[in-house]
Amino acid sequence: MDQQERNDEQLMRQDDVKPEEQHTVVDGADAPETPSKPPAKGRAQKEVFEWVKALAIAAILVLVIRYFLFAPFIVDGPSMEPNFYTGERLIVNKAVYELRHPKRGEVIVFHVPDEGRDFIKRVIGVPGDKIKYEDDNLYVNGKLVDEPYLKQSIAAAKANGEIFNNEGGPERNFPNSNFDTDVVPEGHVLAFGDNRRNSKDSRIIGYVDDKEIVGRADIIFWPMNKMAFVKHG
């Protein structure tokens, strides 16, 4: 076999190499292979992780809302009738008084350390107010103040020839023998129940410290047929 034949044979052998057995070289490196799909087990684990993360975020949001913004409370007792009844469930706004002081007429929930429980009452006086409450008449800084949330109760009592705030004698008035200071001190509020005949409130327990106020009752959400925003003042 002469030299020309050997050269032709080498060329033929190179041409006989199948295309799939050749490597294309790009920038001095083998071309990247087409990525394969992750295994089904890996996808399932990733989906589970996403669900766990979403649930954790939701739980954190619930905790933040529950402990810092809003909280549910259940009315227990007759002290706020006829505006609130035992068993009604309320949403209490815990953030509002971080921004400002309570206002007269607002319904608040506060903790009573000596009782070890929470009370719901209505703000009657704020710091600096001079309060006098006698029979069914409320005076704030010497002026007679209308209490629209008591109109129904007072009217019913008058129809029977009675004074709504007549049970319990002079202790139902304010000031009284329990607390003879009639000016609301700084950092406190004066709070009465709407059922003035049957309410353990500031006439008995004294002024409410701001530090004990849980928040403002904003919504009645149960029972469903009584769902409503709470009327303040």
Side-chain angles (χ1 to χ4, degrees):
M1 183 182 296
D2 58 21
Q3 183 66 34
Q4 181 64 39
E5 289 176 343
R6 288 196 297 271
N7 289 341
D8 291 344
E9 185 179 358
Q10 291 174 358
L11 289 172
M12 289 175 64
R13 287 175 181 173
Q14 290 176 357
D15 292 341
D16 287 341
V17 177
K18 296 179 181 179
E20 58 269 21
E21 294 176 351
Q22 300 183 46
H23 291 283
T24 302
V25 179
V26 180
D27 294 336
D30 287 347
E33 297 180 357
T34 303
S36 60
K37 293 183 179 180
K41 183 178 180 181
R43 291 198 302 271
Q45 289 177 340
K46 183 177 180 181
E47 186 172 344
V48 169
F49 174 76
E50 291 298 326
W51 272 104
V52 170
K53 183 170 70 173
L55 291 173
I57 293 173
I60 292 171
L61 289 174
V62 168
L63 289 174
V64 169
I65 292 172
R66 172 65 177 81
Y67 289 101
F68 297 102
L69 300 179
F70 302 95
F73 281 82
I74 302 175
V75 178
D76 182 18
S79 72
M80 290 295 287
E81 293 178 2
N83 298 309
F84 301 89
Y85 288 89
T86 295
E88 291 181 348
R89 286 164 168 76
L90 312 173
I91 294 295
V92 173
N93 184 335
K94 301 175 70 173
V96 62
Y97 296 139
E98 296 295 329
L99 304 176
R100 64 170 177 80
H101 195 274
K103 297 178 180 179
R104 292 189 213 103
E106 291 185 325
V107 178
I108 63 172
V109 171
F110 58 91
H111 188 64
V112 182
D114 292 342
E115 298 275 343
R117 57 190 177 129
D118 297 320
F119 280 13
I120 178 172
K121 308 294 177 187
R122 194 180 297 273
V123 176
I124 300 301
V126 299
D129 283 345
K130 184 175 182 177
I131 305 296
K132 180 180 179 181
Y133 184 57
E134 187 173 9
D135 297 333
D136 290 332
N137 299 314
L138 174 65
Y139 298 89
V140 178
N141 300 320
K143 296 181 179 180
L144 182 62
V145 174
D146 183 39
E147 296 187 273
Y149 40 83
L150 297 185
K151 282 186 175 180
Q152 178 182 343
S153 299
I154 292 174
K158 284 185 176 180
N160 292 325
E162 301 173 349
I163 295 173
F164 175 54
N165 182 42
N166 69 346
E167 295 184 9
E171 300 304 312
R172 295 285 98 190
N173 295 329
F174 188 88
N176 55 40
S177 60
N178 295 320
F179 300 94
D180 57 5
T181 302
D182 57 0
V183 177
V184 183
E186 286 297 324
H188 295 74
V189 297
L190 187 74
F192 294 168
D194 289 351
N195 186 359
R196 300 291 163 79
R197 291 182 172 184
N198 188 10
S199 174
K200 189 175 185 180
D201 51 37
S202 286
R203 294 170 293 178
I204 299 172
I205 65 174
Y207 297 104
V208 179
D209 194 316
D210 284 352
K211 294 183 294 185
E212 303 297 342
I213 298 176
V214 177
R216 183 182 68 185
D218 274 355
I219 299 174
I220 300 173
F221 71 90
W222 187 263
M224 294 289 287
N225 62 343
K226 289 189 175 182
M227 184 178 292
F229 289 103
V230 172
K231 294 180 180 179
H232 299 284

